Amino acid sequence: MVAKKLNLKDKYRALTRDLDWDYDYSDRKKAFPYEEFEGIKITDWSKWEDPFRLTMDAYWKYQAEKEKKLYAIFDAFSQNNGHLNVTDARYVNAIKVFLTGVSPLEYQAFQGYAHVGRQFGGAGARVACQMQSIDELRHVQTQVHAMSHYNKFFDGFQDWTHMHDRVWYLSVPKSFFDDARSAGPFEFLIAISFSFEYVLTNLLFVPFMSGAAHNGDMATCTFGFSAQSDEARHMTLGLEIIKFLLEQHEDNVPIVQKWIDKWFWRGTRLLAIVAMMMDYMLPNKVMSWKEAWEVYFEDAGGALFKDLARYGIRMPKFVETTAKEKEHISHQAWWIFYTHGHAAGFHTWIPSDEELDWLSEKYPDTFDKYYRPRWELAKEMEARGERFYTKALPQLCTTCQIPMGFTEMDNPTQIAYRSSDYEGEKYHFCSDGCKHIFDQEPEKYVQSWLPVHQIYQGNCGGANVEEVLRDYYKMNLGEDNMDFKGSSDEKRWNEWKRKGVA
Amino acid sequence: MSVVAITPDYKFEAKDRFENFHGNQIVYVGWDHHLMFCSAFAYPVPPATTFKELRDGVMQEAFEMHPEYSKVNWETATWLLDNKPFEPQLDKSLQEQGIGHKSLLRFQTPELKGYKNAGV
């Protein structure tokens, strides 16, 4: 006798696990061809504890309510010319970096989870991945809608998908996700769900959303709140996947450890962009990158890895390097962009005197000694009317694809150079972490699409940098790039201020 | 170690092999302890380029922006080629003296401490 109305628990089972079926006329292995090649051993999928405990109908209802509120705020933001309430037009450049560098990753995540959501033999894991896939699609859509308002008033927002696929520095986030999506389904979950969403996501999310709040950007801030409950669910998937793999079979432990080592390092390199945003791009600062790293990785991550120790998992490789890098990474990253400001799709600038003092205060051991002099030189050149733009293309790291501007952490005026020889070719890396990743899977990274080399191979259209930027990247030269000082963004902003509208 | 792949023969040609650069090779040149330039520069040059042409021609434009570059004494400056001590021969080609595709050249000028003696 079946009850007319299912209780919540039964309904949940019916709409998730009961959607699975047995294969009586086909080999189950053929139905899930990606499940074994990574070497992960699953002995019992029924042990998977569904992280979301949400059925599709409840999910639609819940998300639709959030969506309604979110779009009401976007409308109000737009009607009230919300862009005029941001602290300073420089702030908007952080949003340009987000739209071109991060939002396309939400789309990549949607594709990635849709793929692995088909590949797992366990129905619980499939449903969780499919739901996250839909979340990610929602995130990219709502982000685009949130930022589309800025596109009407500021430069650099017009061609973000095109730019993501082509622009030199955007190959950093793009290749990160390409790497994860071209891995097997279990590695993808350890890469994105665990290492990124669980261990490092607060370092992306908190700075951007609190940064938006601190700088009067209600659209981005509201998007953040709307995504927050999704992110919380994604983190529980990250935690479930790692516990599940470690409990299923002891042979999984070294494989999982290897992936944690790789993706933790890849993640820290990707976050260099967030580091420079926090320390240099937000007119009203939330906290320094160093403080964020201490709170969200060292404290929170430290406790997590203590918990995982009982499975035989240790802290990620090269974690001791990150403890030193937190003093340097944001300064080195912003200098890379400042000196390549002619080739960036957003504006760069010298920090104000007040901001330089804030940096000295937040980085007492490193800023005045190593980084203030760089800005003094930049100021001196700017005062002469020779704003410093570097004149040759940089050497890139084969793994993370960032210009090789990171230094030896115990010798911070010396660039760190690492290299490997593989099948007669030389490869260069910014760090021990990036070299280690290459050495583990050289066949993968010999394919790195390094923007500088691609330009020299003639694969990016132009014969010179200007043509590449204009024709291949589709940057609106003279508007999107160069210093904030003297930009059209700045002129329009000052005009709005003068008229008293801002 | 090698990649774990679902395709049995996971093998690709190196994207940056010499043949793809239309007769040029890539040479990276970095000036140690001078971080005005955020990283070493990547130059595409024919392997027959002499060291003198590289140093006095190719490198000039970008490096001369540094306030100390005109003070570099090439008689005493030291070099590393792929992280090993190296004595360049000015009139010999890159190829002839073992500066290969994607080789890294670094030079040191210990008497020049960078802008404000800060390694900049």
Side-chain angles (χ1 to χ4, degrees):
Chain A
M1 173 81 193
V2 181
K4 272 192 181 158
K5 200 164 160 49
L6 297 173
N7 68 29
L8 268 182
K9 203 176 155 202
D10 292 337
K11 189 171 147 191
Y12 175 74
R13 171 157 289 276
L15 286 173
T16 54
R17 300 302 183 91
D18 278 4
L19 297 175
D20 200 16
W21 61 83
D22 287 328
Y23 294 75
D24 45 19
Y25 56 87
S26 181
D27 182 359
R28 199 175 167 89
K29 281 189 179 174
K30 278 192 189 156
F32 299 102
Y34 285 59
E35 203 174 84
E36 288 180 359
F37 80 91
E38 296 173 275
I40 289 291
K41 292 177 182 158
I42 305 296
T43 54
D44 184 4
W45 269 113
S46 76
K47 292 283 187 328
W48 172 276
E49 282 179 44
D50 297 7
F52 301 167
R53 307 284 165 92
L54 200 61
T55 57
M56 251 318 157
D57 58 340
Y59 176 80
W60 290 130
K61 202 176 146 207
Y62 186 55
Q63 297 296 67
E65 274 168 23
K66 285 200 300 186
E67 208 86 321
K68 233 189 273 168
K69 285 180 202 152
L70 178 63
Y71 280 90
I73 292 174
F74 287 170
D75 282 347
F77 182 79
S78 175
Q79 279 164 21
N80 295 317
N81 286 321
H83 62 283
L84 299 175
N85 295 326
V86 301
T87 37
D88 172 340
R90 291 182 307 166
Y91 164 75
V92 176
N93 292 286
I95 300 301
K96 297 176 194 177
V97 173
F98 195 94
L99 181 66
T100 53
V102 180
S103 300
L105 298 190
E106 306 269 14
Y107 191 71
Q108 287 231 48
F110 150 67
Q111 293 173 300
Y113 282 101
H115 168 65
V116 300
R118 160 66 184 82
Q119 299 302 340
F120 294 118
R126 290 206 301 275
V127 170
C129 290
Q130 286 162 12
M131 275 191 191
Q132 179 158 353
S133 173
I134 299 166
D135 279 346
E136 303 291 0
L137 186 58
R138 186 178 97 85
H139 291 180
V140 64
Q141 287 171 340
T142 47
Q143 283 167 22
V144 172
H145 287 142
M147 292 177 218
S148 65
H149 179 76
Y150 289 105
N151 183 37
K152 298 175 197 161
F153 301 97
F154 296 91
D155 291 317
F157 286 93
Q158 70 278 10
D159 246 328
W160 55 281
T161 51
H162 179 91
M163 287 187 184
H164 184 73
D165 285 342
R166 297 190 175 192
V167 173
W168 60 277
Y169 55 89
L170 297 173
S171 80
V172 175
K174 180 182 164 64
S175 62
F176 174 91
F177 243 98
D178 287 347
D179 190 352
R181 283 179 56 206
S182 55
F186 289 111
E187 183 180 342
F188 178 81
L189 286 199
I190 294 296
I192 307 302
S193 292
F194 178 72
S195 303
F196 206 74
E197 299 265 11
Y198 195 84
V199 182
L200 297 174
T201 200
N202 279 334
L203 284 157
L204 177 68
F205 205 71
V206 176
F208 266 107
M209 301 318 153
S210 323
H214 273 64
N215 288 279
D217 175 6
M218 277 308 120
T220 305
C221 189
T222 312
F223 155 74
F225 281 124
S226 182
Q228 204 163 28
S229 54
D230 301 348
E231 297 296 342
R233 270 187 285 114
H234 301 172
M235 288 175 77
T236 59
L237 172 57
L239 202 56
E240 177 55 26
I241 184 66
I242 193 146
K243 275 176 46 201
F244 179 69
L245 293 186
L246 297 174
E247 283 170 5
Q248 282 290 304
H249 204 290
E250 60 182 6
D251 290 356
N252 294 343
V253 176
I255 303 176
V256 168
Q257 180 73 57
K258 198 175 83 179
W259 290 337
I260 292 174
D261 291 345
K262 169 181 172 181
W263 288 100
F264 170 76
W265 187 258
R266 289 254 316 99
T268 59
R269 276 294 177 259
L270 183 61
L271 290 173
I273 295 174
V274 182
M276 75 175 197
M277 185 206 72
M278 285 185 78
D279 284 346
Y280 287 88
M281 300 183 79
L282 297 179
N284 273 355
K285 319 283 188 204
V286 180
M287 55 166 69
S288 70
W289 171 253
K290 183 183 156 194
E291 288 165 330
W293 183 260
E294 287 166 353
V295 173
Y296 295 113
F297 177 71
E298 291 180 359
D299 297 350
L304 167 70
F305 280 94
K306 228 178 238 173
D307 275 356
L308 293 175
R310 66 193 161 105
Y311 296 107
I313 290 291
R314 50 157 174 77
M315 283 291 254
K317 246 188 170 98
F318 310 114
V319 71
E320 63 291 346
T321 309
T322 64
K324 296 175 185 166
E325 285 199 340
K326 70 185 178 195
E327 295 271 4
H328 298 278
I329 217 83
S330 67
H331 316 300
Q332 296 178 357
W334 185 241
W335 187 249
I336 291 172
F337 280 97
Y338 178 80
T339 59
H340 289 86
H342 55 303
F346 57 92
H347 299 303
T348 49
W349 55 85
I350 299 172
S352 68
D353 289 345
E354 228 182 358
E355 288 166 334
L356 290 171
D357 291 344
W358 181 84
L359 289 163
S360 300
E361 186 197 313
K362 292 292 180 182
Y363 294 93
D365 298 331
T366 52
F367 189 75
D368 285 349
K369 193 164 172 200
Y370 301 113
Y371 303 106
R372 190 181 275 271
R374 295 193 194 188
W375 296 113
E376 284 169 354
L377 173 59
K379 273 186 181 179
E380 207 180 283
M381 292 177 75
E382 189 184 74
R384 284 203 304 267
E386 295 166 11
R387 199 285 196 190
F388 175 40
Y389 295 110
T390 194
K391 284 187 176 167
L393 304 189
Q395 180 182 26
L396 305 180
C397 171
T398 306
T399 304
C400 70
Q401 308 202 3
I402 299 174
M404 292 202 10
F406 299 126
T407 61
E408 298 289 357
M409 285 302 135
D410 297 322
N411 187 5
T413 61
Q414 177 56 49
I415 299 280
Y417 292 105
R418 301 290 182 274
S419 62
S420 292
D421 288 303
Y422 178 71
E423 297 196 334
E425 295 279 331
K426 290 183 178 66
Y427 298 91
H428 298 270
F429 313 98
C430 68
S431 53
D432 292 325
C434 280
K435 174 180 159 58
H436 176 76
I437 291 167
F438 176 92
D439 290 344
Q440 296 284 310
E441 301 175 299
E443 303 93 332
K444 196 165 192 180
Y445 301 99
V446 301
Q447 304 166 67
S448 289
W449 194 93
L450 298 178
V452 169
H453 290 173
Q454 288 300 311
I455 291 170
Y456 288 150
Q457 290 180 28
N459 297 333
C460 302
N464 57 50
V465 171
E466 199 175 304
E467 282 176 29
V468 171
L469 297 173
R470 188 190 59 218
D471 303 332
Y472 188 71
Y473 294 170
K474 291 200 192 169
M475 282 180 191
N476 192 359
L477 292 188
E479 301 292 330
D480 299 347
N481 61 342
M482 312 302 272
D483 203 289
F484 177 73
K485 250 183 218 168
S487 67
S488 296
D489 272 6
E490 185 196 44
K491 281 183 205 132
R492 280 188 296 261
W493 181 259
N494 289 341
E495 185 68 4
W496 297 329
K497 285 266 177 191
R498 197 182 57 79
K499 286 182 177 160
V501 290
Chain B
M1 288 301 288
S2 70
V3 77
V4 176
I6 197 165
T7 13
D9 191 20
Y10 185 91
K11 200 84 204 157
F12 294 86
E13 277 186 329
K15 208 165 216 86
D16 292 328
R17 62 193 187 282
F18 174 72
E19 293 73 25
N20 291 352
F21 288 87
H22 311 287
N24 288 325
Q25 66 173 71
I26 298 293
V27 181
Y28 305 107
V29 187
W31 186 2
D32 283 355
H33 299 289
H34 284 76
L35 291 176
M36 172 185 182
F37 309 118
C38 73
S39 65
F41 295 124
Y43 293 114
V45 288
T49 308
T50 64
F51 199 90
K52 195 172 167 39
E53 286 166 341
L54 176 74
R55 191 190 73 184
D56 301 343
V58 177
M59 284 168 52
Q60 193 66 20
E61 188 192 22
F63 279 103
E64 74 179 357
M65 297 183 84
H66 196 288
E68 283 184 342
Y69 194 65
S70 59
K71 296 177 206 150
V72 172
N73 179 354
W74 292 118
E75 299 297 313
T76 55
T78 53
W79 291 82
L80 292 173
L81 169 62
D82 296 322
N83 300 320
K84 289 190 194 90
F86 178 69
E87 278 189 36
Q89 292 169 277
L90 286 182
D91 295 321
K92 280 198 169 166
S93 71
L94 303 181
Q95 196 171 30
E96 282 171 304
Q97 47 193 319
I99 303 169
H101 180 44
K102 290 184 275 166
S103 271
L104 167 67
L105 281 165
R106 294 162 54 181
F107 62 100
Q108 298 83 35
T109 54
E111 73 284 7
L112 302 173
K113 307 280 182 207
Y115 179 77
K116 297 215 168 160
N117 294 321
V120 171

